[in-house]
């Protein structure tokens, strides 16, 4: 069985929690894009794990893979491995030989570029965009290069002059490119990771042919996709479900399920349009109650009502077979709950987002209102435990999106999840 799971909004939908939960039923859990800009939270037994690169199946000690479409900061990965292993978690982790390496100069370039922008993107400053630029420019350092000084030095010899010039032109310090302690540190990490270097496509295809199950873990979300998102306010990778096959080297006919993780409201961290953003006390209350602060950067997330117009596009982009709705508990006790069911664009009512980001920024949400519930739902175990009004909300979203919501999350804990059909857990 091959399942792809992606974020259906602007990231931080609760993918880490859902992946962790699903991982118990899979043999392999695989990251296919992005890098340590991702922050996936897993809460087990009250303990919180923030994962940036290690796939969120770590707590079930599954075979974990980092695919060649990921951009990998080896320091962050090494730190994460050490921190998990110090907790007694055994990691069976493989990294593709072709995985692109985020070098210190990528981070420098990210910071310099963002500083120079008059209209900021609000990147996570992890060097993501510049690492992907190098992949497409065919000037990347790959995982394999870190395992052999000669390979790395040969690559750097060719790459370094252009990088140094770019950094100097932007007013930065070009010595970062060939700074020997950094190179030595990267090679040292490469040596420690050498035994974990693998061929991810081969592993997955063999696993699938042997009837094992594979769960592909998306990072970010649909509207941060570099093609289909809200350019320029996006990340630099392909975040939708189709990208999993291309990035992992698995044929599209192998896919069995596509799970979308979607929050019961919407959040965004960084700049860019978000039509239902609430800049008032309701938005503030969502941020407080939902603890909406970035897992990677700690920045406050912008909060707003559920946007079913964007939701519909996300379903088109990903072809979801089912949805996991998260953070329903955060809406308990509000006076009313609004759902954006259309946009007003220059006086015209539309039900699908305009393709242009500039036009999207002009859209004014058209809402329908639903009554809220006052009960605390964080201990609900089965769907029938939810108050009728909460179930009405879930079912209204299902109607608007036209995809089954098969799981409802009512708290950060692994156990705080309701499967609508216990027989068929996602
Ligand atoms: P990801 O990037 O999609 O994995 O999401 P993050 O981990 O960045 O952010 C989601 C946050 O919401 C984390 O702090 C989770 O522990 C938390 N969370 C996930 N599901 C729920 C839920 O149903 N209710 C509440 N209150 N918190 C949740
Ligand atoms: P997870 O996987 C939310 C946002 C950044 C910025 C834009 C570009 O935890 O859902 P980048 O550093 O990627 O060049 O930044 O994308 N962003 C995320 N927002 N969740 C994420 O990951 C994100 N990864 C990047 O805030 O707006
Ligand atoms: Mg996150």
């Amino acid at each position: 069985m091959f399942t792809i799971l992606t974020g259906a909004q602007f990231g931080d939908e609760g993918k880490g929690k859902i992946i962790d939960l699903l991982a118990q039923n899979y043999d392999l859990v695989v990251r296919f894009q992005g890098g340590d800009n991702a922050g996936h939270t897993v809460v087990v037994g009250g303990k919180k794990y923030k994962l940036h690169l290690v796939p969120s199946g770590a707590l079930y000690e599954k075979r974990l893979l980092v695919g060649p479409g990921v951009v990998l900061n080896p320091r962050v990965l090494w730190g994460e491995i050490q921190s998990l292993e110090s907790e007694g978690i055994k990691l069976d982790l493989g990294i593709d030989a072709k995985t692109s390496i985020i070098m210190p100069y990528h981070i420098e370039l990210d910071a310099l570029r963002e500083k120079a922008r008059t209209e900021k993107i609000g990147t996570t400053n992890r060097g993501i965009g510049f690492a992907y630029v190098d992949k497409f420019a065919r000037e990347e350092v790959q995982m394999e290069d870190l395992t052999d000084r000669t390979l790395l030095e040969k690559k750097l010899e060719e790459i370094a002059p252009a990088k140094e010039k770019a950094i100097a032109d932007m007013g930065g310090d070009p010595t970062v490119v060939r700074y020997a302690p950094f190179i030595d540190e990267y090679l040292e990490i490469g040596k420690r990771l050498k035994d974990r270097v693998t061929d991810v496509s081969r592993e997955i295809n063999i696993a699938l042919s042997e009837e094992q199950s594979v769960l592909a873990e998306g990072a970010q979300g649909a509207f941060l996709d570099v093609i289909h998102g809200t350019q320029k306010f996006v990340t630099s990778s392909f975040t939708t479900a189709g990208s999993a096959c291309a990035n992992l080297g698995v044929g599209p006919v192998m896919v069995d399920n596509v799970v979308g993780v979607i929050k019961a409201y919407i959040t965004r961290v960084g700049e860019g349009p978000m039509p239902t953003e609430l800049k008032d006390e309701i938005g503030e209350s969502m941020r407080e109650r939902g603890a909406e602060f970035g897992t990677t950067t700690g920045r406050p997330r912008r909060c707003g009502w559920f946007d079913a117009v964007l939701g519909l596009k996300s379903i088109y982009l990903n072809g979801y077979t089912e949805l996991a709705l998260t953070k329903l508990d955060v809406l308990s006790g509000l006076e009313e709950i609004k759902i954006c069911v259309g946009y007003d664009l220059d006086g015209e009512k539309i039900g699908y987002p305009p393709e242009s980001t500039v036009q999207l920024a002009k859209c004014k949400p058209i809402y329908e209102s639903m009554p809220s519930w006052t009960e605390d739902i964080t201990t609900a175990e089965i769907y029938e435990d939810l108050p009728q009004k909460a179930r009405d909300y879930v079912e209204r979203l299902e109607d608007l999106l036209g995809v089954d919501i098969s799981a409802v999350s009512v708290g950060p804990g692994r156990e705080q999840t309701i499967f609508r059909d216990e027989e068929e857990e996602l």
Side-chain angles (χ1 to χ4, degrees):
M1 182 170 58
F2 183 34
T3 299
I4 300 168
L5 178 147
T6 62
Q9 293 156 320
F10 291 102
D12 302 327
E13 298 88 351
K15 298 177 290 295
K17 166 179 166 155
I18 303 296
I19 290 271
D20 164 73
L21 200 65
L22 298 187
Q24 60 185 311
N25 300 323
Y26 287 82
D27 300 299
L28 290 86
V29 185
V30 194
R31 271 285 302 272
F32 61 91
Q33 44 70 233
D36 63 310
N37 50 349
H40 296 177
T41 316
V42 177
V43 180
V44 180
K47 187 161 171 37
K48 196 184 249 194
Y49 300 86
K50 292 181 180 180
L51 303 168
H52 300 286
L53 284 166
V54 171
S56 305
L59 282 300
Y60 278 111
E61 302 187 350
K62 299 295 179 159
R63 175 67 177 157
L64 307 173
L65 295 172
V66 173
V70 168
V71 286
L72 180 134
N73 181 327
R75 285 177 178 155
V76 174
L77 180 67
W78 185 246
E80 222 164 278
I81 291 173
Q82 281 184 306
S83 144
L84 289 165
E85 292 193 339
S86 73
E87 309 257 357
I89 296 157
K90 289 194 193 66
L91 290 180
D92 180 13
L93 175 72
I95 306 146
D96 196 276
K98 286 192 185 132
T99 303
S100 293
I101 299 300
I102 296 185
M103 301 295 286
Y105 51 79
H106 292 130
I107 300 169
E108 180 74 14
L109 284 162
D110 194 354
L112 289 167
R113 188 70 198 95
E114 183 71 359
K115 202 166 142 217
R117 282 187 181 110
T118 36
E119 193 184 36
K120 311 278 181 211
I121 293 176
T123 75
T124 59
N125 198 22
R126 298 298 193 268
I128 304 295
F130 284 89
Y132 276 117
V133 165
D134 278 358
K135 178 183 268 308
F136 285 91
R138 293 153 297 175
E139 293 191 345
E140 64 186 324
V141 170
Q142 297 182 338
M143 184 62 221
E144 186 195 15
D145 301 320
L146 298 192
T147 64
D148 182 331
R149 181 175 283 273
T150 323
L151 282 179
L152 182 62
E153 284 181 348
K154 188 163 168 259
K155 276 245 170 109
L156 280 179
E157 208 174 294
E158 190 167 317
I159 295 170
K163 297 288 162 241
E164 285 165 345
K165 183 169 184 319
I167 292 177
D169 286 352
M170 289 164 90
D173 176 8
T175 60
V176 68
V177 179
R178 288 188 240 209
Y179 187 60
F182 286 165
I183 295 172
D184 291 345
E185 184 192 347
Y186 269 47
L187 285 165
E188 181 56 34
I189 298 174
K191 200 160 82 185
R192 293 182 194 154
L193 294 176
K194 192 171 179 166
D195 292 346
R196 301 188 191 259
V197 177
T198 187
D199 177 340
V200 164
S201 165
R202 180 166 189 264
E203 273 203 44
I204 296 178
N205 281 287
I206 290 175
L208 291 173
S209 72
E210 291 174 350
E211 305 290 314
Q212 291 188 47
S213 51
V214 179
L215 178 57
E217 170 174 359
Q220 290 79 51
F223 302 109
L224 293 176
D225 182 85
V226 70
I227 293 180
H228 300 287
T230 55
Q231 283 91 337
K232 68 180 185 188
F233 309 101
V234 291
T235 191
S236 297
S237 68
F238 308 103
T239 62
T240 60
S243 148
C245 289
N247 278 310
L248 294 171
V250 183
V253 292
M254 304 302 279
V255 180
D256 297 291
N257 311 299
V258 185
V259 179
V261 184
I262 195 158
K263 242 178 233 190
Y265 47 101
I266 198 164
T267 64
R268 174 164 207 170
V269 58
E271 305 305 317
M274 185 171 101
T276 59
E277 180 170 10
L278 292 166
K279 292 183 177 161
D280 57 10
E281 65 283 1
I282 303 175
E284 190 61 42
S285 134
M286 282 179 184
R287 180 156 43 247
E288 289 306 318
R289 295 148 53 94
E292 296 293 0
F293 297 89
T295 311
T296 298
T297 58
R299 289 177 292 175
R301 295 175 183 151
R302 300 153 59 195
C303 299
W305 295 118
F306 189 91
D307 187 334
V309 183
L310 283 181
L312 194 56
K313 175 158 180 158
S314 188
I315 279 146
Y316 280 6
L317 295 178
N318 288 280
Y320 292 129
T321 54
E322 52 202 305
L323 293 169
L325 183 74
T326 59
K327 301 195 110 165
L328 187 63
D329 55 298
V330 175
L331 299 181
S332 304
L334 290 175
E335 249 168 57
E336 63 168 342
I337 303 180
K338 290 185 182 174
I339 306 174
C340 171
V341 291
Y343 294 150
D344 179 327
L345 176 58
D346 297 331
E348 190 196 339
K349 190 181 169 205
I350 53 173
Y352 194 78
E355 181 66 339
S356 143
T357 302
V358 175
Q359 297 293 313
L360 181 68
K362 291 202 284 184
C363 287
K364 303 271 170 284
I366 299 169
Y367 289 120
E368 69 176 36
S369 175
M370 293 192 77
S372 183
W373 54 94
T374 50
E375 296 90 334
D376 172 8
I377 60 170
T378 56
T379 53
E381 285 176 7
I382 55 169
Y383 192 61
E384 287 65 36
D385 288 344
L386 291 177
Q388 185 59 49
K389 286 174 181 158
R391 280 185 271 160
D392 289 345
Y393 183 65
V394 173
E395 287 158 34
R396 181 66 186 135
L397 297 187
E398 215 166 29
D399 280 350
L400 286 166
L401 300 176
V403 178
D404 288 351
I405 295 175
S406 47
V408 179
S409 171
V410 293
R414 190 185 262 175
E415 66 294 345
Q416 291 174 295
T417 318
I418 296 166
F419 288 97
R420 299 277 293 282
D421 181 353
E422 285 292 336
E423 296 291 297
E424 267 188 80
E425 286 197 2
L426 285 173

